[in-house]
């Protein structure tokens, strides 16, 4: 069955979807995006993704392409037309098409593209197998809270990870602290048993999965700290994992080829994966989604 994409007002075969050569997303990476997980036919974290998209758009002064109501009708329609029960929906909004010139054009109409992709259903066994991460310098700009399509440093980092036989790269800031992965948030359980993920600021993207895991942990009485943690703490950690809409809660079992803890999925990591799945199935996503940097 052929895939369908939504491109600026039309549903078209995915292979025929195209944008203008002077779209500012193409020319300047002048746009933002969101990725929603679809889990057993349900979109996860809708409110969070919509709030974060609103934050990204307003920080860049890009207009919403349409009001949130019709916007969600389009998103759901793309999911429906592609028969996606498990997978993701990708939404990209750019400032629109204009003659190439750096300042914002006077009358730009935002462009909007929506695609959907089938993926294997969330598999707790596969997620618990564990992946390797490497550490690399964080060479990105200073507004990581904005989900910009300008992802070149992230692509370079992910490629470096793959060439090193790892799944993800954790980026290290100038103070030696871990910011996040190239497309995931980073978590550790320190050698003293403290569950830690970096606090919200313009140094990281506030992941919707991150928020869901924090809320699920809180409800279950699992204590945690939101604070920067150092590369050294990560190397000495008992457990580590990553979170994102597509990686869910994925165990990290090696950092720079050194085993994390005993080299197997950690106890708390496994518990948080269970709590996360129960949480999204019961609540659909995080309920507190108002803080973005
Ligand atoms: N990435 N940090 C970065 C830099 C990300 O790109 C992402 C998401 C996350 C996790 O956010 P969330 O939990 O809302 O998915 C953290 C998406 C999945 C991507 O670029 O494909």
């Amino acid at each position: 069955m052929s895939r369908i994409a939504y491109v600026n007002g039309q549903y078209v075969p995915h292979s025929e979807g195209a944008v203008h050569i002077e779209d500012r997303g193409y020319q300047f990476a002048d746009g933002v995006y969101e990725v929603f997980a679809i889990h057993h036919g349900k979109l996860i974290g809708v409110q969070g993704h919509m709030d974060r998209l609103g934050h990204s758009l307003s920080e860049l002064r890009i207009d919403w392409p349409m009001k949130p109501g019709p916007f969600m009708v389009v998103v759901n329609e793309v999911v429906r037309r592609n028969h996606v029960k498990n997978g993701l929906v990708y939404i990209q909004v750019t400032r629109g098409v204009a003659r190439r010139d750096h300042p914002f054009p006077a009358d730009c109409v935002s462009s909007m593209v929506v695609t959907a992709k089938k993926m294997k259903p969330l598999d707790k066994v596969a997620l618990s197998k564990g992946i390797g991460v490497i550490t690399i310098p964080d060479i990105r700009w200073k507004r990581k809270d904005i989900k910009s399509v300008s992802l070149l440093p992230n692509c370079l980092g992910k490629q470096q990870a793959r060439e090193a036989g790892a799944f993800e790269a954790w980026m290290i800031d100038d103070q030696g602290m871990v910011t996040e992965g190239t497309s995931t948030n980073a978590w550790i359980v320190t050698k003293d048993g403290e569950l830690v993920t970096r606090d919200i600021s313009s140094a990281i993207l506030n992941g919707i999965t991150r928020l869901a895991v924090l809320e699920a942990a809180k409800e279950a009485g699992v204590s945690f700290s939101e604070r920067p943690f150092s590369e050294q703490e990560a190397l000495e950690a008992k457990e580590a994992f990553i979170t994102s809409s597509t990686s869910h809660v994925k165990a990290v079992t090696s950092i720079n080829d050194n085993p994390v803890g005993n080299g197997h999925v950690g106890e708390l990591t496994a518990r948080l994966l269970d709590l996360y799945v129960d949480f999204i199935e019961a609540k659909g996503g995080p309920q507190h989604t108002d803080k973005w940097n």
Side-chain angles (χ1 to χ4, degrees):
M1 202 171 321
S2 70
R3 289 172 73 193
I4 302 293
Y6 172 89
V7 184
N8 292 325
Q10 286 183 314
Y11 296 95
V12 295
H14 190 277
S15 55
E16 290 168 25
V19 293
H20 196 283
I21 55 169
E22 286 198 311
D23 191 292
R24 287 178 63 96
Y26 177 61
Q27 298 210 312
F28 296 116
D30 189 0
V32 300
Y33 75 106
E34 282 294 330
V35 178
F36 294 48
I38 304 159
H39 177 65
H40 298 329
K42 252 178 40 183
L43 285 175
I44 303 304
V46 173
Q47 195 56 51
H49 287 289
M50 291 296 278
D51 289 352
R52 189 172 66 187
L53 179 59
H55 170 73
S56 297
L57 290 171
S58 78
E59 289 301 295
L60 299 180
R61 291 194 279 148
I62 296 175
D63 292 335
W64 277 89
M66 57 183 79
K67 291 202 167 88
F71 186 98
M72 281 313 299
V73 170
V74 171
V75 171
N76 280 306
E77 184 61 13
V78 171
V79 175
R80 193 188 66 78
R81 289 192 189 213
N82 288 281
H83 309 281
V84 181
K85 297 282 174 258
N86 292 283
L88 62 84
V89 60
Y90 175 85
I91 300 157
Q92 180 168 323
V93 179
T94 74
R95 199 178 305 277
V97 176
R99 217 165 87 166
R100 188 179 182 281
D101 196 9
H102 290 62
F104 300 167
D107 303 306
C108 230
V109 177
S110 301
S111 299
M112 174 172 169
V113 169
V114 184
T115 58
K117 185 166 96 176
K118 288 182 184 165
M119 291 168 69
K120 287 191 186 133
L122 186 155
D123 176 352
K124 286 187 184 175
V125 176
L127 291 170
S128 303
K129 278 218 176 86
I131 50 114
V133 305
I134 58 168
T135 56
I136 59 170
D138 194 335
I139 60 168
R140 299 174 298 161
W141 74 328
K142 293 187 176 148
R143 290 303 308 274
K144 280 89 108 173
D145 54 301
I146 297 171
K147 202 161 170 56
S148 152
V149 293
S150 174
L151 289 172
L152 191 49
N154 308 57
C155 294
L156 292 173
K158 190 77 95 184
Q159 180 62 20
Q160 200 178 327
R162 295 300 157 87
E163 286 174 8
F167 180 82
E168 179 60 297
W170 280 5
M171 295 175 281
I172 311 297
D173 68 16
D174 292 344
Q175 282 70 48
M177 306 305 243
V178 175
T179 52
E180 60 186 330
T182 62
S183 64
T184 58
N185 288 115
W187 301 66
I188 57 167
V189 179
T190 65
K191 61 177 185 325
D192 304 321
E194 182 192 11
L195 173 64
V196 189
T197 193
R198 190 162 174 141
D199 52 312
I200 288 314
S201 71
S202 53
I204 65 164
L205 184 79
N206 189 1
I208 305 308
T209 321
R210 174 190 178 281
L211 287 172
V213 171
L214 288 175
E215 279 186 35
K218 202 172 192 174
E219 275 187 6
V222 175
S223 59
F224 55 80
S225 304
E226 290 178 83
R227 64 165 177 85
F229 59 89
S230 68
E231 181 177 11
Q232 193 54 36
E233 271 184 294
L235 290 168
E236 292 169 359
K238 254 198 223 169
E239 301 184 27
F241 61 94
I242 55 172
T243 56
S244 79
S245 298
T246 46
S247 283
H248 313 290
V249 174
K250 198 175 258 177
V252 172
T253 48
S254 76
I255 301 176
N256 293 340
D257 282 332
N258 301 304
V260 175
N262 61 8
H264 297 287
V265 57
E267 233 173 82
L268 187 52
T269 304
R271 174 148 184 242
L272 288 167
L273 171 58
D274 285 340
L275 290 172
Y276 168 72
V277 174
D278 291 349
F279 183 83
I280 58 167
E281 289 180 352
K283 302 228 166 127
Q287 313 293 302
H288 306 290
T289 63
D290 54 344
K291 288 207 193 84
W292 302 107
N293 65 1

